[in-house]
Amino acid sequence: MVQTLQFIYDLKYKYAITPKEIDYGRMDSLFKEGRAAFMINGDWGLSDYSNVLGDRLGVARMPALPGGGLPRPYISGKNFMVSRDVNRAGLEAMEGFMTFMTRDEVLLDGLFLLNRLPASLSGLQSENLVTHPILGGSASQLATGIPMPTVIEMRANWDAMKPELNLVLDGLKTPEQAAADMQRAVERMLAEGSDETRNGILKSAD
């Protein structure tokens, strides 16, 4: 984490690549305006970028990190959720719907309609996807990903990281200080939220 924060700090203060004032909205605007050569974002933005940039848009794997390491982003999917109180007829109807929605041909229809990757290995290996100029690059990055843990404690992870990252970017904390404070913050959140966690609830800073 110290190395990561140092790298992000250097992008702004050593190499002067990152603008002095930057957030998600500013990054998004610079890219759409053609004033940023590339950006790192999730596939939720593909439809919007395709509409704005047309054939000027391309998708590729994230660049190598200092030292040659390759980024391995967290990945996750969309899920069906069924109430435990649903009756037998409702459950059978839901099972039929989910079976239909997870068929390769349906997943691939959604692929080009929604610009979202299919949730099956056979779908990801389809020629229509692999050769697609936009989604093929997204699928290539997906192959390097790590499934994000599906535990509510991840909320504490994000809430502990964000403020410390901002303090590093503002030049108010060193990477060493920020990394140590992240660890203390997440441990405190988990300790304070232990009762809520047991009940399936974790307070969010959002």
Side-chain angles (χ1 to χ4, degrees):
M1 181 56 73
V2 172
Q3 291 175 334
T4 298
L5 293 172
Q6 185 65 57
F7 175 59
I8 294 172
Y9 177 90
D10 289 346
L11 289 177
K12 182 174 183 178
Y13 294 100
K14 182 177 180 180
Y15 303 110
I17 293 173
T18 304
K20 290 183 179 179
E21 299 296 331
I22 191 69
D23 56 18
Y24 184 93
R26 179 67 172 152
M27 173 188 73
D28 185 73
S29 296
L30 289 172
F31 185 66
K32 289 177 179 176
E33 294 166 2
R35 299 169 61 192
F38 77 95
M39 65 182 293
I40 297 174
N41 201 1
D43 63 355
W44 53 80
L46 284 177
S47 293
D48 195 22
Y49 298 136
S50 295
N51 292 335
V52 173
L53 298 170
D55 60 7
R56 293 182 296 151
L57 176 67
V59 177
R61 287 190 181 187
M62 291 188 287
L65 298 168
L70 295 176
R72 298 192 64 194
Y74 273 144
I75 59 175
S76 60
K78 299 295 184 182
N79 303 292
F80 292 104
M81 302 178 71
V82 181
S83 170
R84 65 182 177 184
D85 297 324
V86 68
N87 61 30
R88 181 71 181 178
L91 182 59
E92 290 176 353
M94 284 302 303
E95 288 176 342
F97 175 72
M98 288 185 282
T99 299
F100 171 78
M101 290 298 295
T102 52
R103 290 165 54 184
D104 278 350
E105 59 268 31
V106 177
L107 290 172
L108 290 175
D109 282 344
L111 168 72
F112 299 111
L113 178 65
L114 304 173
N115 280 333
R116 302 303 291 266
L117 297 177
S120 69
L121 184 59
S122 55
L124 287 170
Q125 294 173 340
S126 70
E127 183 176 357
N128 287 341
L129 173 57
V130 172
T131 59
H132 193 276
I134 303 301
L135 297 173
S138 187
S140 176
Q141 183 68 71
L142 176 67
T144 72
I146 300 172
M148 185 169 66
T150 53
V151 294
I152 57 178
E153 287 84 0
M154 289 299 294
R155 180 74 258 176
N157 181 59
W158 308 133
D159 289 346
M161 291 173 64
K162 185 176 180 179
E164 300 301 327
L165 171 61
N166 288 337
L167 288 171
V168 171
L169 284 172
D170 290 339
L172 299 176
K173 276 191 180 182
T174 66
E176 291 79 8
Q177 291 172 323
D181 288 342
M182 282 181 189
Q183 183 66 32
R184 280 190 285 268
V186 75
E187 290 175 356
R188 183 185 68 252
M189 290 179 196
L190 292 177
E192 292 174 351
S194 59
D195 291 337
E196 290 88 348
T197 299
R198 280 192 289 271
N199 293 324
I201 301 171
L202 187 63
K203 293 180 180 179
S204 168
D206 285 347

